[in-house]
Amino acid sequence: MAEYSPYREFTKRLKLLISKHPNLIATTLSNIFTMRLIGNKTHGDLAEIAIPEFINQYMYDFTSTHVGKDRFRAKKREEDISVVNQITKDEVLISIKAYSVGPLQLSTDKEARMFPLLESQRVSEINTSDRIRAILESPAFSEIEQMNVLPLIYDEKKNICNILIFDAEQAKQDVAAIRKVTGGYGRKHPIYEFRNENYEYICEVRYGGTTANALQRGLWTNTRNAIQYFDSITGGWIDYSHNMILVRLFSHALVASKRGHDRALQVVKDDIAEIIEGERL
């Protein structure tokens, strides 16, 4: 039996809520991904405040706050929101990721320990269980199973989205080979791919040297190539649509006064209350 985890308890409850009220997450994700019409990265920033509000409004046993830009700016960890279970009083810190389907960064490895450790092995492939276990149980990889990442994944061509949770525990257990890959796909720096006993892709560690972009280094996976290591919180892909009224609301709000914002906020609160009543949460 897996050890109790406040993060897994939260994602289990979130999955249950979505299974009973799929319209709630479909509306929220549609609004989040609509923000790409304003800017290519705007949706990611707004997801960090939208998801806590979703939790506060619809998950009665949990509360959430956005903490990423203040509390952790100069810290080692990468979380964006805090979630508190009101029954157990457990607090879990979560990193929100809003990515297109495909490559997904799980950790930036700020201390740049993963890649140098793999380089120190001085071989192009590691496939003995003892060496692999020693690497995965080393301090450089100690936080893999503690990564609390909530990835909001979208396919803009198909207008579909998903919330996919990477099963780091299973992935770690299944690693049977680690190989160094250089060149290809316009790659400037080498990477190390982690593969299972069937030589199927699990995840990868990207270059972490001084010339690497800190936002690109670290532990990555791929929501296409490693889909068997993901659990869909939304129960599969769901359709989303762009909300052009929301874009207009933002544009008007930016030139309106606080008085207007206060009135609009009350209207929005009334709408949420109607949604809750209609869904009978």
Side-chain angles (χ1 to χ4, degrees), residues 152-166:
L152 315 182
I153 306 299
Y154 63 95
D155 186 331
E156 206 159 37
K157 292 182 180 179
K158 299 179 181 179
N159 271 40
I160 54 177
C161 57
N162 212 328
I163 300 180
L164 293 168
I165 306 296
F166 185 66

Side-chain angles (χ1 to χ4, degrees), residues 196-216:
N196 62 23
E197 62 180 3
N198 297 319
Y199 221 64
E200 297 167 325
Y201 174 91
I202 300 176
C203 59
E204 65 190 60
V205 169
R206 296 190 178 182
Y207 179 71
T210 56
T211 62
N213 184 337
L215 297 178
Q216 296 298 318

Side-chain angles (χ1 to χ4, degrees), residues 51-66:
I51 295 302
E53 193 61 36
F54 180 92
I55 294 167
N56 290 331
Q57 294 293 343
Y58 303 130
M59 298 183 71
Y60 293 142
D61 292 338
F62 295 84
T63 58
S64 182
T65 55
H66 177 222

